[in-house]
Amino acid sequence: DARVTQTPRDKVTEMGQEVTMRCQPILGHNTVFWYRQTMMQGLELLAYFRNRAPLDDSGMPKDRFSAEMPDATLATLKIQPSEPRDSAVYFCASGNPPGQGDPGELFFGEGSRLTVL
Amino acid sequence: LAKTTQPISMDSYEGQEVNITCSHNNIATNDYITWYQQFPSQGPRFIIQGYKTKVTNEVASLFIPADRKSSTLSLPRVSLSDTAVYYCLVGPIYNQGGKLIFGQGTELSVKP
């Protein structure tokens, strides 16, 4: 059963430390999204990629966040340095653009819960 | 991107039909309407998508009036396991350069 895999599932770190979250999209999917979810802000779009190229990262704080796709099987989201306000659940999702009879749904991973002390 | 408005929360009982309405007054011609479901501690899951009239699948139905300024997600005979947050998204599908923007969602609570 194909699924999006995210690591780590849980991460507790101290302010100022570097955090890297990884995502393995479903094989064959060419679009990858990064979202962040908090109680206050809900689900926020951070960035998304098509065929490994960044299409939009306007939702991402540029000074400390970076997102990349080193290859088609790996997407990374890095925070350096991390701050307590970055505490959230980070979701990765993958999919393909809509096609004949296919609505182009996104498949989400289970998320990486980040706590910055 | 079209702004969406949906109730913050709804309560229902097992076996009832639940209708969640989403308002999107400034929907654009190339916008689609998509609904996702999210259970606690999980990522959202696609439910249904439509452009106009009615769409039905094994999980839900989506009703869209002619003016497309609102849409209604209909869940037939809900069970306790349908307790979740339901998101209405409106925007160009992402191969047209659109991005999926989630609003606050509707928290549905199904009681026995």
Side-chain angles (χ1 to χ4, degrees):
Chain A
D1 189 22
R3 60 191 179 100
V4 174
T5 304
Q6 291 187 245
T7 56
R9 290 297 312 279
D10 280 283
K11 174 76 174 179
V12 180
T13 191
E14 292 189 347
M15 184 173 62
Q17 295 298 305
E18 178 180 298
V19 174
T20 298
M21 287 167 276
R22 293 176 174 80
C23 168
Q24 182 176 7
I26 292 173
L27 190 65
H29 284 181
N30 67 7
T31 307
V32 174
F33 288 73
W34 281 104
Y35 287 89
R36 172 172 66 181
Q37 187 170 37
T38 61
M39 288 294 292
M40 293 298 294
Q41 299 298 325
L43 271 162
E44 300 174 277
L45 175 64
L46 297 175
Y48 83 103
F49 294 76
R50 170 82 37 79
N51 295 320
R52 297 177 53 201
L55 286 191
D56 191 325
D57 62 0
S58 57
M60 209 163 60
K62 298 292 191 303
D63 56 339
R64 298 182 300 108
F65 284 60
S66 62
E68 295 179 344
M69 282 201 72
D71 60 61
T73 65
L74 177 65
T76 62
L77 180 66
K78 186 179 296 186
I79 308 174
Q80 167 62 23
S82 58
E83 297 181 2
R85 59 179 167 153
D86 301 329
S87 297
V89 179
Y90 290 80
F91 288 104
C92 173
S94 73
N96 281 329
Q100 198 75 334
D102 179 355
E105 66 185 276
L106 284 189
F107 295 81
F108 282 76
E110 294 190 331
S112 293
R113 180 178 298 277
L114 173 66
T115 303
V116 183
L117 303 175
Chain B
L1 292 170
K3 178 175 164 52
T4 60
T5 303
Q6 48 182 129
I8 294 175
S9 64
M10 293 181 68
D11 290 332
S12 182
Y13 291 93
E14 280 190 296
Q16 289 188 332
E17 178 184 77
V18 171
N19 296 308
I20 305 174
T21 296
C22 179
S23 298
H24 29 81
N25 290 320
N26 59 340
I27 189 169
T29 302
N30 62 340
D31 285 347
Y32 282 69
I33 300 153
T34 311
W35 286 80
Y36 279 76
Q37 172 193 56
Q38 185 178 25
F39 298 114
S41 302
Q42 293 186 25
R45 186 180 71 167
F46 172 91
I47 301 177
I48 198 166
Q49 183 182 78
Y51 184 80
K52 61 180 180 180
T53 63
K54 176 184 174 182
V55 180
T56 297
N57 62 23
E58 66 276 6
V59 176
S61 294
L62 178 60
F63 299 92
I64 305 168
D67 66 6
R68 305 204 321 126
K69 293 184 184 301
S70 67
S71 57
T72 299
L73 175 73
S74 181
L75 305 171
R77 295 185 298 282
V78 294
S79 65
L80 296 176
S81 62
D82 292 315
T83 293
V85 178
Y86 292 82
Y87 295 95
C88 165
L89 289 77
V90 173
I93 49 179
Y94 56 87
N95 71 330
Q96 296 173 2
K99 44 192 180 183
L100 287 183
I101 304 294
F102 286 79
Q104 291 303 306
T106 297
E107 187 169 0
L108 173 65
S109 177
V110 180
K111 298 177 171 57

